[in-house]
Amino acid sequence: MATPDFSQLGGGSEPEKKSFWSRPEGLLGMVVLAGIAGYGLIHLNTILEFLIRVTSNILELSLLLGALGVLIFLFTSKDIRTAIFFLFKSLMRSITGTVIQLNPIAIMKIYVQDLREKREKMQGQINTLQGQLVKLNKRINENNEAIKQKFAEANKANSMTEKPGMKEQAQLATIEGAGLQEMNEKLLPLQRNMKQVLAFMEKVNQSADYIIKETEIKVRLKETEYQIVKESSNALKTAVSIFKGDPDKKFYFDQSMEYIQDDMSKKLGEMKRAMDLSMDFINGVDIQNGILSDKGEALLEAYNKGEFKMVQLDAPAQPVNLGPTPQKDAGYKNLLD
């Protein structure tokens, strides 16, 4: 007895590795290439006119041939093709990654919506198959009724063989009944196959409903988790920014602090200079006030003792000791003093 092979049960142990063109970046790359090809087809006349205009000049033709040679070299060189292909893959992957990073939750919701649309399409196909199965069952039943009718006609014709043409009529009815029976025999496996397909699609429909609901739950869970993590991250960034500060805003803050410090130092210096300059004047005023205060106290004391003499307008002038006899013109000189 041969040993059964269980290696194929449950599928392969390793997942099938998708090619570049079956990945999202590959699909995007095909769209980009299709767009470039469509643009070239739309502007084919313009391109041909340009080529004709270029080839009308020998120098331009030489440059065109040189550029064509470079392109041929690039397309025929395996290393160049490999490098360009990997560069193209990297560019498409970068674009795809950027799109995913913009709003990953929205992409997941789009995927769920795509599953719903496919499920609705499958339900429409199930309805179509059910309609076809009803038509097929109706056709088989109609054929069965027709077979009965034809065989009844054949029996009736066989019972009337004495009449001319009845034998041929019976034979014709028998042939038609046999043809309808053969048709039913061929339609029956198709009907069974359709029933099996419908049963399978109904199971797939139920499974798809379960998968879609499970995926929706996962998306809602991930959306909630992602939102909580983002809010927590923003809150943590805010807390850290209190200690570290926003670099741009902190720069202006430091500049403002430095300006205020410089302005305060300048104004304090000006105030100290003004105080130093006015100190001599203040000290002189204080001295004059002190002198006047002492003189006032002395006059007050003399007034209280009755020794204070008011200035009298009619009082005789006090003799003035002129000293030695002045010269002849001394009086005139003193007149100006």
Side-chain angles (χ1 to χ4, degrees):
M1 181 178 180
T3 304
D5 185 9
F6 298 99
S7 61
Q8 301 298 325
L9 293 178
S13 58
E14 296 183 356
E16 182 181 358
K17 186 176 181 181
K18 294 183 177 180
S19 63
F20 169 76
W21 299 109
S22 61
R23 296 178 182 175
E25 54 266 27
L27 296 176
L28 179 60
M30 287 191 290
V31 172
V32 172
L33 291 177
I36 294 173
Y39 179 85
L41 290 176
I42 293 172
H43 298 82
L44 181 61
N45 292 332
T46 304
I47 295 173
L48 291 177
E49 290 176 0
F50 170 77
L51 293 176
I52 293 172
R53 188 170 58 255
V54 169
T55 53
S56 62
N57 190 298
I58 298 177
L59 180 59
E60 293 180 353
L61 178 59
S62 302
L63 294 176
L64 180 61
L65 291 176
L68 183 62
V70 173
L71 290 176
I72 293 174
F73 170 74
L74 292 177
F75 281 107
T76 55
S77 177
K78 183 178 180 181
D79 295 335
I80 299 296
R81 289 201 312 271
T82 304
I84 293 175
F85 179 69
F86 279 107
L87 180 62
F88 181 75
K89 286 176 60 177
S90 301
L91 179 61
M92 295 300 105
R93 186 170 297 172
S94 300
I95 296 175
T96 305
T98 303
V99 173
I100 292 174
Q101 291 176 6
L102 290 176
N103 197 341
I105 299 298
I107 293 176
M108 296 171 68
K109 290 182 178 180
I110 292 173
Y111 173 73
V112 174
Q113 182 64 28
D114 183 66
L115 291 179
R116 286 195 189 126
E117 292 176 356
K118 289 182 178 179
R119 181 172 176 267
E120 292 177 358
K121 181 179 179 181
M122 183 178 64
Q123 289 177 344
Q125 292 173 343
I126 290 174
N127 294 333
T128 302
L129 284 177
Q130 287 178 343
Q132 293 295 328
L133 181 61
V134 170
K135 290 173 64 177
L136 183 59
N137 291 334
K138 184 178 179 181
R139 172 57 62 86
I140 292 174
N141 292 329
E142 289 177 352
N143 288 342
N144 288 332
E145 294 297 328
I147 290 171
K148 294 179 182 178
Q149 181 67 26
K150 293 300 178 182
F151 284 166
E153 292 177 0
N155 291 329
K156 187 65 175 175
N158 286 329
S159 64
M160 300 172 65
T161 54
E162 67 277 2
K163 293 183 178 181
M166 287 297 173
K167 185 175 180 181
E168 290 79 4
Q169 189 71 27
Q171 186 178 6
L172 180 60
T174 303
I175 293 173
E176 290 180 358
L180 292 173
Q181 179 65 19
E182 184 178 1
M183 181 186 295
N184 281 349
E185 289 176 354
K186 292 181 178 180
L187 291 177
L188 185 60
L190 180 60
Q191 187 260 0
R192 292 173 180 173
N193 186 30
M194 289 182 65
K195 291 177 65 176
Q196 292 178 356
V197 171
L198 279 172
F200 173 76
M201 292 187 70
E202 288 292 347
K203 291 182 180 180
V204 172
N205 186 31
Q206 295 176 359
S207 301
D209 186 35
Y210 170 77
I211 292 172
I212 292 173
K213 290 180 179 179
E214 184 182 13
T215 307
E216 287 178 343
I217 293 173
K218 289 181 179 180
V219 171
R220 288 198 296 267
L221 176 61
K222 288 298 179 183
E223 184 178 10
T224 304
E225 291 178 348
Y226 189 53
Q227 187 67 28
I228 292 173
V229 171
K230 285 203 305 183
E231 294 295 336
S232 302
S233 177
N234 293 334
L236 183 60
K237 288 179 180 178
T238 303
V240 172
S241 65
I242 294 176
F243 298 100
K244 297 178 64 176
D246 189 343
D248 297 333
K249 295 180 180 179
K250 192 173 185 302
F251 170 77
Y252 288 106
F253 175 80
D254 293 338
Q255 292 294 319
S256 301
M257 289 289 292
E258 184 177 354
Y259 171 77
I260 292 174
Q261 187 67 32
D262 294 341
D263 192 50
M264 288 175 58
S265 300
K266 181 180 179 180
K267 285 180 169 52
L268 288 174
E270 292 175 353
M271 292 170 60
K272 187 176 184 303
R273 178 64 177 167
M275 292 175 64
D276 292 339
L277 293 175
S278 61
M279 189 59 65
D280 294 338
F281 175 75
I282 294 173
N283 291 335
V285 172
D286 290 341
I287 292 172
Q288 294 296 328
N289 289 334
I291 294 173
L292 292 175
S293 178
D294 294 341
K295 185 177 180 179
E297 289 179 359
L299 292 174
L300 179 62
E301 185 179 357
Y303 178 79
N304 292 330
K305 291 179 179 181
E307 297 177 356
F308 180 77
K309 295 181 179 181
M310 294 288 184
V311 176
Q312 300 295 329
L313 295 177
D314 299 332
Q318 295 294 331
V320 179
N321 187 9
L322 299 177
T325 302
Q327 296 179 1
K328 184 177 180 179
D329 57 350
Y332 295 101
K333 291 182 178 179
N334 294 329
L335 185 63
L336 300 176
D337 294 337

